[in-house]
Amino acid sequence: MTKVLTDFRDLRITKEKLKDALGEDLHNIDCAHPLIVRPIHVINVIRSFTEKKVSIDVLVDWVNTVWFTDLFQFYETETDSIISVLEILETLDEEGSILSPAECEKMIQALTQNISFSES
């Protein structure tokens, strides 16, 4: 299970491939050892999005899977910074949501410094 979770976390496979490997309902999988997601992983996803390597749908699927399943976890000391960014990224599939390159850079800076992201 660790390999498939690592492949998903690192954008080597899609959510569909993750479901193929683990089952359709990712929210009800008993995962004794969730994979750690660090700020660098979130930074890599943001960069992949800004470089147009992944779509908004792939980004939002990644965020929702990492945040809302028990397959992944964050170190307690990094949780606030990561969640403050995921809260914004999670809404990008909503009508009218946009994310400027400047906002992406601010998110990356917040993650790099392990501080909460603020839109202001």
Side-chain angles (χ1 to χ4, degrees), residues 70 77 82 116:
D70 293 329
T77 57
I82 291 172
S116 290

Side-chain angles (χ1 to χ4, degrees), residues 23-118:
E24 192 64 30
D25 186 3
L26 297 176
H27 296 278
N28 289 309
I29 293 175
D30 185 23
C31 184
H33 302 287
L35 189 68
I36 297 291
V37 173
R38 306 283 317 270
I40 190 64
H41 301 117
V42 182
I43 290 168
N44 289 340
V45 169
I46 293 169
R47 286 202 172 119
S48 292
F49 173 71
T50 60
E51 295 168 3
K52 300 190 184 327
K53 293 178 182 174
V54 298
S55 67
I56 285 177
D57 291 339
V58 169
L59 174 72
V60 172
D61 278 348
W62 188 90
V63 169
N64 287 331
T65 304
V66 164
W67 192 7
F68 298 121
T69 70
D70 293 329
L71 302 172
F72 301 91
Q73 65 184 11
F74 316 115
Y75 286 128
E76 187 174 330
T77 57
E78 298 170 337
T79 298
D80 289 345
S81 179
I82 291 172
I83 295 299
S84 72
V85 170
L86 296 184
E87 285 176 333
I88 304 303
L89 297 178
E90 193 265 334
T91 66
L92 289 179
D93 62 343
E94 296 173 6
E95 189 174 327
S97 290
I98 57 167
L99 186 63
S100 72
E103 286 176 304
C104 289
E105 283 307 311
K106 286 180 185 175
M107 287 181 185
I108 289 170
Q109 286 302 314
L111 290 163
T112 301
Q113 297 170 21
N114 194 28
I115 59 174
S116 290
F117 171 73
S118 172

